[in-house]
Amino acid sequence: MGAGRVVTVFGAYGHTGRFVVAELLRRGFVPVLSGRDEVKLKALAASHPGLEVRPASVDDPESLDRALAGAEAVVNSAGPFATTAAPVIEAALRAGVPYVDVAAEIEANADTFAHFADRARAAGAVIVPAMAFFGGLGDLLATAAMGDWTAADEAHVAYALSDWQPTDGTRAAGTVSRQRRGGARVVYRNGRLDYRHDEATIFQWPFPEPLGSRAVIGEFTMADVVTIPSHLSIPDVRTHMTADAARDVVAPGTPTPAAVDEHGRSAQTFLVDVVVRSGGAERRAVARGQDIYAITAPLAVEAVHRILTGQTRTVGVVSAGEIFDAADFLGALSSHLSVELPR
């Protein structure tokens, strides 16, 4: 458990940030509430008496240093990460503490690997981007599915969401990503990211029963195309999304998530189906759960716990599947996720 260890949460008052704060408290950590909006921070603190508020802005390095002072780790849950990731990572490096974020933005995650890998490795620092539903979970499942394989021909991560009511942060991050790529869609083929202007295809994906075959938008690309190939030798990584959920997230009138239980989760359910193929062989790993935003919190907090307790395999800028024992990590989330791995 957290045993009173202090963890700064940047973007603590956001939709996902609130889940992270609650999960840290549940596990015995002491969250420091940080972010740009002092009014929202104080409103959040009112529901968690005793927690410290430290306003900070990404364009004010000294404020970020104050936010991280005395903390043992920082979780960045404030998007768009194209704006927030680099400044908060710099602050974490100055403070000498590990950094974890929940970025789903493909370009922001690629930037983190490209810009900080050498410095983090040289400093013995730990930086884990995309430790979230998109990016982290798919990477853990793919790594566990690979097992003793050292390489594969392709990996598919197929997402079945019952619906997708996006947060304001999701919409903002999507806008930034589309602007950065000039409206193109991104795919990961032949060992590299490629930007294309053709239309994505719609086809039937054979999800495990009882869900069964569902129409998906092929190569509805998510952060898994950064995390998985960062450490697994797989030249083609493709992510797919059920067509109804894909339409939900881009529709301007789709509402934000509404809580239906005491944990603040929405009624949304998900199934993540990961298939890796090598030659004629195929391996599959599956995860089921509720609320893609809520599940991000135990993923990020378990990562912090393992980093702070030395349950890691390497340093530098690393994805979840590289730094942690993937199968063991997934097993630790059994109260949040139902997982099926290859035997």
Side-chain angles (χ1 to χ4, degrees):
M1 304 298 281
R5 298 180 113 163
V6 177
V7 177
T8 297
V9 182
F10 187 72
Y13 50 76
H15 187 82
T16 302
R18 289 172 178 268
F19 283 121
V20 172
V21 169
E23 182 67 10
L24 286 166
L25 287 168
R26 188 186 73 81
R27 296 195 58 169
F29 290 94
V30 179
V32 169
L33 309 181
S34 188
R36 183 178 60 182
D37 193 318
E38 185 172 3
V39 173
K40 291 181 179 179
L41 288 171
K42 288 181 175 178
L44 176 60
S47 60
H48 299 291
L51 294 189
E52 187 176 357
V53 168
R54 298 184 192 172
S57 173
V58 294
D59 56 7
D60 182 354
E62 291 184 359
S63 72
L64 290 172
D65 292 343
R66 290 192 295 270
L68 270 59
E72 294 189 55
V74 58
V75 177
N76 182 6
S77 60
F81 293 88
T83 301
T84 68
V88 182
I89 291 171
E90 292 283 5
L93 290 171
R94 290 193 299 272
V97 300
Y99 167 95
V100 173
D101 74 31
V102 298
E105 298 159 46
I106 295 167
E107 292 81 11
N109 287 309
D111 286 348
T112 296
F113 278 96
H115 298 160
F116 291 100
D118 292 342
R119 284 176 58 193
R121 191 180 306 110
V126 172
I127 297 171
V128 186
M131 194 63 243
F133 177 78
F134 292 117
L137 180 55
D139 180 41
L140 289 165
L141 291 167
T143 305
M146 287 283 285
D148 59 355
W149 287 359
T150 58
D153 300 322
E154 60 187 48
H156 295 261
V157 183
Y159 291 101
L161 309 185
S162 60
D163 59 86
W164 192 351
Q165 297 177 344
T167 64
D168 292 338
T170 294
R171 290 193 185 278
T175 298
V176 170
S177 289
R178 286 190 295 274
Q179 290 173 344
R180 290 189 68 178
R181 63 179 77 137
R185 66 186 188 92
V186 61
V187 301
Y188 189 85
R189 298 278 190 91
N190 302 315
R192 66 183 182 89
L193 291 174
D194 187 23
Y195 291 85
R196 303 175 59 162
H197 289 275
D198 59 340
E199 290 293 325
T201 59
I202 298 179
F203 63 94
Q204 296 290 312
W205 180 267
F207 289 99
E209 295 297 340
L211 192 62
S213 180
R214 290 288 189 276
V216 299
I217 295 182
E219 294 182 300
F220 188 95
T221 305
M222 304 305 296
D224 312 270
V225 301
V226 176
T227 56
I228 291 173
S230 73
H231 68 106
L232 296 176
S233 181
I234 307 177
D236 283 3
V237 179
R238 309 183 190 191
T239 66
H240 318 298
M241 179 65 65
T242 42
D244 288 345
R247 284 190 285 267
D248 284 345
V249 76
V250 299
T254 305
T256 55
V260 297
D261 64 20
E262 68 276 15
H263 304 294
R265 296 181 301 179
S266 72
Q268 177 197 56
T269 58
F270 62 79
L271 185 154
V272 185
D273 186 23
V274 175
V275 175
V276 293
R277 297 179 178 134
S278 180
E282 178 178 290
R283 290 178 175 175
R284 186 175 222 159
V286 180
R288 296 176 173 86
Q290 179 181 346
D291 194 326
I292 64 173
Y293 299 106
I295 193 60
T296 288
L299 283 161
V301 174
E302 179 66 18
V304 169
H305 165 72
R306 289 182 177 236
I307 294 166
L308 294 181
T309 55
Q311 301 178 65
T312 54
R313 293 176 163 174
T314 187
V315 296
V317 179
V318 283
S319 64
E322 182 176 12
I323 192 171
F324 305 121
D325 180 321
D328 186 67
F329 191 109
L330 291 165
L333 300 181
S334 59
S335 62
H336 303 278
L337 279 174
S338 171
V339 177
E340 302 164 24
L341 301 179
R343 296 182 180 276

